[in-house]
Amino acid sequence: PCHWDKKIIDEILAQNSRITNIEIKEIYGCLARGPIAHGRAPNTVPNVTKKEAINFRKYVRSLGFRFTYLLNAPFEFKTKKQKKEIKSYLDWIIDELEADSLMIASYPLMKFIRENYSSNIPIYISTIAGILNAKQLECFLEIHPSRIVPHHDINRNFKDLKELIKKTEKSVYDDLPMSFV
């Protein structure tokens, strides 16, 4: 997580220069408050303004980091007013903050993004979506995810893990296989 803190980014850069076989190239973050929850403990997300977030995003882009925005909590659309509020929030994330990718747990939100925004914005399926096997992944394929972070219990079933990896290797979008984290 970026914690919206330049000192942390500078520490990552120092670490990247000291370690030769591991390099951090991507960070993630989210506003502490928004119409879609982020899936993090409330006290772990610093409260910054949208302007501060945009300035921080510019800083990390200048250093070569990719930025993933978390929309990481289970979510369902309930009203037209809520949908309008979500659209405004997503406009800010995609058009003003210019996130490189979105980490999402909610299939309805993923579908909404694919219907209303460029299909080029990478969508990462969050571990909170709870994918444990290839069959559970299938319903998400129509939104063309770029990455899947499966449920943390996947490592307890090697057969399902192998099938899920095989499914991600077969799923191709823009000639790039889906990555599996």
Side-chain angles (χ1 to χ4, degrees):
C2 70
H3 296 288
W4 305 111
D5 186 340
K6 289 180 181 180
K7 289 179 187 175
I8 290 174
I9 301 306
D10 293 340
E11 288 175 26
I12 291 171
L13 285 172
Q15 177 179 314
N16 281 352
S17 67
R18 286 191 307 268
I19 300 172
T20 57
N21 57 347
I22 298 173
E23 183 178 10
I24 297 171
K25 297 179 181 182
E26 181 176 8
I27 59 172
Y28 63 87
C30 55
L31 294 181
R33 291 174 185 79
I36 302 170
H38 41 69
R40 308 213 17 102
N43 64 344
T44 65
V45 182
N47 195 12
V48 297
T49 67
K50 286 182 174 181
K51 184 177 180 181
E52 289 169 327
I54 289 170
N55 288 335
F56 181 84
R57 172 66 181 108
K58 288 177 184 176
Y59 176 69
V60 297
R61 177 181 286 128
S62 74
L63 299 173
F65 288 101
R66 291 185 306 270
F67 185 84
T68 298
Y69 198 90
L70 297 183
L71 300 164
N72 210 16
F75 174 81
E76 292 283 335
F77 289 102
K78 293 182 170 83
T79 66
K80 287 184 180 184
K81 181 181 176 187
Q82 180 198 36
K83 203 174 242 191
K84 187 176 179 181
E85 183 181 17
I86 299 302
K87 175 85 168 74
S88 176
Y89 187 55
L90 291 169
D91 288 347
W92 176 78
I93 293 166
I94 294 169
D95 299 332
E96 293 180 52
L97 183 66
E98 298 178 355
D100 294 306
S101 55
L102 306 172
M103 178 71 72
I104 307 173
S106 163
Y107 176 78
L109 183 60
M110 292 177 204
K111 191 168 177 145
F112 181 80
I113 289 167
R114 283 293 179 245
E115 291 169 352
N116 290 279
Y117 297 91
S118 166
S119 62
N120 295 333
I121 185 82
I123 291 178
Y124 300 165
I125 301 173
S126 169
T127 188
I128 297 171
I131 295 174
L132 284 163
N133 57 52
K135 183 151 181 68
Q136 290 175 341
L137 176 61
E138 285 179 17
C139 74
F140 290 90
L141 295 179
E142 74 174 302
I143 59 96
H144 305 290
S146 300
R147 180 181 296 168
I148 174 177
V149 184
H151 188 277
H152 59 272
D153 286 341
I154 188 75
N155 65 350
R156 296 191 176 122
N157 186 325
F158 291 114
K159 180 180 179 253
D160 285 346
L161 178 59
K162 286 179 186 177
E163 288 176 9
L164 187 56
I165 291 170
K166 188 176 178 181
K167 184 72 151 182
T168 62
E169 289 171 345
K170 284 184 177 179
S171 299
V172 177
Y173 179 59
D174 288 340
D175 300 323
L176 296 172
M178 184 186 331
S179 67
F180 184 83
V181 180

